[in-house]
Amino acid sequence: MARRDFLAFWTRCLWVLGAAHLLGLPERCGAQSAQKGLIKAKLSPYFTRLNGGTIQCDLCPRHCRMDPGERGFCRVRENQQGQCYTLAYGNPCVIHVDPIERKPFFHVLPGTTSLSLATAGCNFDCKFCQTWEISQASPEDVYSYDMPSFFIIDTATEMGVRSIAYTYVEPVIFCEYMLDLGPLAKRAGLLRVVHSNGFISPAPLGDLCGVLDAANIDLKGFTETFYRELCLGELAPVLETLKALKQHGIHLEITHLVIPLKNDDMSLIREMCLWVGKELGVDTPVHFSRFYPLHKLRNLPPTPVKTLEQARVVALSAGLEYVYIGNVPGHEGENTFCPRCKRLLIRRTGYMIGEMHLKDGQCGYCGKPIPGIWE
Ligand code: SF4
């Protein structure tokens, strides 16, 4: 077995055993140990100068206005002498090797691993955030690694992963890092995948589309009220992002975390699925993910599995062809079925692949093309 394949095999095994943190990934590849508050400010191209040294950040639809010395909502954009600097560049606070199914991507290189990274900060404030310790932190509050782009690529190559994943928190806020990593990753033969809230302005999104291969976008709810009250965000720009990604030919999957009493109304789920089918295509994979009580919604119960199953039935009856249930390991809704001949194409248990019956991106039984990046 080649050294690269050997490392890839063992990193996947260690991850499944819950021991990925033992790998000490950045140190293996020459980075220094994590340092508290590591910041390497970099000038952002996404801002407008206003009067009196004030600036407006144009990266996301929040359009924060910052006086000199102030930071934006996400905590990682700062007005330094009338210019906008990102404080989330080359300083990931999380760097892990994960199965790509964890992102979740079910139609992208199944059974492979991804070098996954995140920085502090977020442009939303979701009451149900699973990673609030870092998403709602400033860069000076967390331990970060000094990881210039070439270190990330070297690490990925060394570990034998097939992709780089921008994930865990909101990658939009480290946009410039993704823009620089993208071409290097492509040259190294690595896919570039992102899991995002989709809350980004059209211009930076257009730039990002040039350096991404696949995106999983959270469609957290299907009303402006949900986005406003539970995320301090907006729905409309997220829908525009989904349409733009589709137009740019980026492979697209959607995650909808189903939260009891908050976004589990089946009529709204049906409306959302009809919108997905009409605007993005019925072959867009949709993941209904199970909520567990966390952060500011600890008073709610976990999503009943029955609710997820109901959502899946609603989505299938709305015409969607690839509908999954997430965070319920071993559930039949984790598997991929051919929409034409109904045969099982990919069997999954948690993040493990059991069997796969695809041939050249087509159903191995009836030949129907299955959307995704398969090789
Ligand atoms: S990226 Fe951050 S600073 Fe810029 S508009 Fe969005 S929340 Fe505000």
Side-chain angles (χ1 to χ4, degrees), residues 14-298:
L14 282 170
W15 194 92
V16 170
L17 293 170
H21 61 283
L22 296 178
L23 293 168
L25 292 179
E27 287 89 346
R28 284 176 63 93
C29 297
Q32 295 163 358
S33 301
Q35 301 167 48
K36 182 131 191 232
L38 176 74
I39 293 174
K40 297 185 295 178
K42 183 179 168 82
L43 185 62
S44 168
Y46 304 116
F47 74 98
T48 305
R49 287 191 179 84
L50 305 174
N51 292 332
T54 301
I55 58 170
Q56 173 181 291
C57 176
D58 298 325
L59 179 56
C60 89
R62 204 173 285 283
H63 292 300
C64 296
R65 290 184 172 210
M66 296 170 255
D67 289 333
E70 283 185 350
R71 286 199 194 167
F73 179 93
C74 59
R75 302 177 168 90
V76 300
R77 308 254 145 198
E78 188 172 84
N79 181 339
Q80 297 186 3
Q81 281 111 36
Q83 303 200 91
C84 186
Y85 278 79
T86 170
L87 311 179
Y89 183 91
N91 56 345
C93 59
V94 179
I95 178 159
H96 251 230
V97 171
D98 288 336
I100 197 158
E101 285 77 14
R102 191 187 181 200
K103 305 299 115 197
F105 281 103
F106 277 14
H107 289 228
V108 178
L109 303 180
T112 64
T113 48
S114 195
L115 187 72
S116 310
L117 47 118
T119 68
C122 186
N123 58 355
F124 271 8
D125 184 1
C126 298
K127 288 185 174 19
F128 46 90
C129 184
Q130 298 174 11
T131 53
W132 60 272
E133 290 98 334
I134 50 174
S135 73
Q136 300 307 313
S138 302
E140 49 270 69
D141 298 333
V142 298
Y143 285 84
S144 301
Y145 293 97
D146 184 2
M147 293 292 281
S149 303
F150 71 89
F151 258 9
I152 296 286
I153 305 302
D154 286 354
T155 305
T157 307
E158 171 80 3
M159 301 313 298
V161 301
R162 299 286 305 279
S163 54
I164 306 270
Y166 314 115
T167 180
Y168 303 132
V169 291
E170 181 39 59
V172 162
I173 56 114
F174 58 88
C175 178
E176 293 83 357
Y177 199 23
M178 290 192 283
L179 288 172
D180 285 357
L181 278 163
L184 299 178
K186 184 167 187 168
R187 217 169 299 144
L190 298 162
L191 282 187
R192 295 85 40 99
V193 308
V194 67
H195 184 168
S196 167
N197 64 14
F199 197 60
I200 181 170
S201 300
L205 176 61
D207 294 342
L208 269 183
C209 283
V211 295
L212 284 179
D213 298 297
N216 186 318
I217 302 295
D218 284 326
L219 198 40
K220 295 171 188 273
F222 207 58
T223 63
E224 287 294 351
T225 309
F226 179 92
Y227 267 82
R228 199 170 46 246
E229 293 181 357
L230 280 98
C231 309
L232 301 186
E234 293 169 60
L235 169 63
V238 177
L239 299 181
E240 290 308 310
T241 293
L242 284 164
K243 290 194 272 186
L245 287 166
K246 179 74 183 174
Q247 281 160 11
H248 278 87
I250 309 290
H251 170 76
L252 187 58
E253 302 193 19
I254 290 173
T255 296
H256 179 74
L257 182 75
V258 184
I259 307 173
L261 305 174
K262 301 294 183 189
N263 63 1
D264 60 351
D265 177 332
M266 291 300 149
S267 60
L268 274 176
I269 287 179
R270 179 173 167 77
E271 205 181 306
M272 179 182 82
C273 294
L274 289 171
W275 183 91
V276 169
K278 179 166 175 270
E279 299 292 342
L280 311 174
V282 293
D283 60 353
T284 308
V286 172
H287 303 254
F288 289 106
S289 198
R290 189 179 198 192
F291 161 86
Y292 286 96
L294 277 170
H295 195 32
K296 297 175 184 168
L297 291 186
R298 286 170 199 266

